[in-house]
Amino acid sequence: MKKSTEITGLPIISIQEGQEIGTVKTLVINPEKGSIDFLTIEHEDWQVSVKAIPFKKIIGIGEYAVTVESDRAVIDLNEIPIANQLVNKKIRITQTKVMTRKGQLLGETAEFYTDEDTGNILGAEIQLSDASAVLAAEEILTYGRDILIVKEDASERFLNSVSLLNPIMSNEVLPSEGENMDHLQSLKNKQMELLVGKELEADIYDLNGNILFPSGRILSEQDVQIAQEEGPNVVVNLSMNVNA
């Protein structure tokens, strides 16, 4: 298990070439899967285009470096539309508000933790008004650009130690790709359950600034599916603007 600040800034070493090919600049988060899918690379010679490494190409993340098999693991984001879209979403977890689906502000994230073998986000450390707490990823409904939406009773299941997020420490089996898909579908089902049948109290806009759903609309399953396809920010807006 690694916290985000233990990954950013690390040198990236190619095993075959035996040389440094850059340093980790940012962690690119996939809000639908709840995982880190790419690491963008800082390199003085790459100023025009953005380079990145798919997380699945990483051999290991150690204390002093990230290792990859060869420099062929590096991709140009302009050539990979899906990766480029994830970067442009600018999803971040640290320093975002943590809010329940009904709008109760719990605090702000100070750090988040990931499984260095899979890239799956395990949870986050939250700064409360007078203390700190640990929130498991299972409590998170939506990863937004500015806000994490969590289950209504998430505060009742705060953990008292970051070590409890570790799959090894908690005797959990590392999730397979199929289990990741199950988790994604479970997340979407929870959003569907919370939103279908609720009335909008404000207009909801798509990412281009066009009205997606007008105020007063009763949300259907199709509406929620459309919002999910638009991305996490739209789902966050839906969650914040429906009747209780």
Side-chain angles (χ1 to χ4, degrees):
M1 179 173 67
K2 294 285 186 182
K3 57 184 179 181
S4 67
T5 52
E6 291 177 329
I7 303 176
T8 54
L10 284 178
I12 302 169
I13 305 298
S14 165
I15 296 174
Q16 285 188 9
E17 287 80 21
Q19 64 182 17
E20 181 177 328
I21 57 177
T23 58
V24 179
K25 184 177 182 181
T26 62
L27 311 179
V28 182
I29 296 168
N30 185 324
E32 301 296 336
K33 291 170 55 182
S35 64
I36 298 171
D37 279 11
F38 299 90
L39 307 181
T40 64
I41 305 173
E42 182 82 49
H43 193 291
E44 60 182 10
D45 295 333
W46 298 338
Q47 299 297 323
V48 177
S49 60
V50 179
K51 306 286 187 178
I53 293 175
F55 201 95
K56 63 183 179 181
K57 295 290 187 180
I58 293 172
I59 300 298
I61 301 177
E63 183 178 355
Y64 299 106
V66 173
T67 57
V68 295
E69 191 64 40
S70 74
D71 58 9
R72 291 191 298 275
V74 178
I75 63 172
D76 188 327
L77 290 185
N78 292 326
E79 299 174 359
I80 311 294
I82 294 177
N84 201 26
Q85 289 171 12
L86 287 178
V87 171
N88 290 334
K89 284 183 178 180
K90 298 180 180 178
I91 300 296
R92 59 189 176 92
I93 297 178
T94 55
Q95 298 182 329
T96 59
K97 303 296 183 184
V98 180
M99 190 171 292
T100 68
R101 181 223 166 293
K102 291 187 177 180
Q104 179 186 0
L105 182 63
L106 300 182
E108 184 174 288
T109 53
E111 180 58 282
F112 74 94
Y113 297 81
T114 186
D115 186 325
E116 68 265 39
D117 294 320
T118 64
N120 292 328
I121 295 168
L122 300 175
E125 188 172 359
I126 301 174
Q127 186 61 49
L128 309 175
S129 58
D130 56 354
S132 62
V134 179
L135 178 74
E138 289 77 12
E139 305 298 327
I140 301 173
L141 296 175
T142 305
Y143 294 89
R145 181 178 297 185
D146 304 307
I147 301 174
L148 287 184
I149 300 295
V150 301
K151 296 177 183 177
E152 196 60 39
D153 54 354
S155 60
E156 299 176 9
R157 289 185 295 278
F158 281 154
L159 304 177
N160 56 20
S161 173
V162 169
S163 65
L164 295 176
L165 295 174
N166 194 325
I168 297 176
M169 294 293 291
S170 60
N171 295 319
E172 294 178 5
V173 177
L174 291 175
S176 64
E177 183 175 353
E179 289 171 331
N180 283 338
M181 294 302 294
D182 289 342
H183 175 71
L184 171 59
Q185 188 58 51
S186 176
L187 179 62
K188 288 186 174 181
N189 289 343
K190 289 172 184 174
Q191 292 173 344
M192 188 75 68
E193 181 181 345
L194 290 170
L195 294 171
V196 169
K198 298 298 176 64
E199 181 180 355
L200 284 175
E201 297 178 338
D203 293 337
I204 301 298
Y205 296 85
D206 63 18
L207 299 179
N208 296 318
N210 302 313
I211 291 182
L212 192 62
F213 307 119
S215 175
R217 186 186 186 97
I218 305 298
L219 292 173
S220 65
E221 288 189 10
Q222 184 178 9
D223 293 334
V224 178
Q225 288 174 352
I226 291 172
Q228 290 171 335
E229 291 170 0
E230 281 287 319
N233 288 334
V234 175
V235 178
V236 168
N237 286 335
L238 279 185
S239 300
M240 297 297 296
N241 290 285
V242 294
N243 60 346

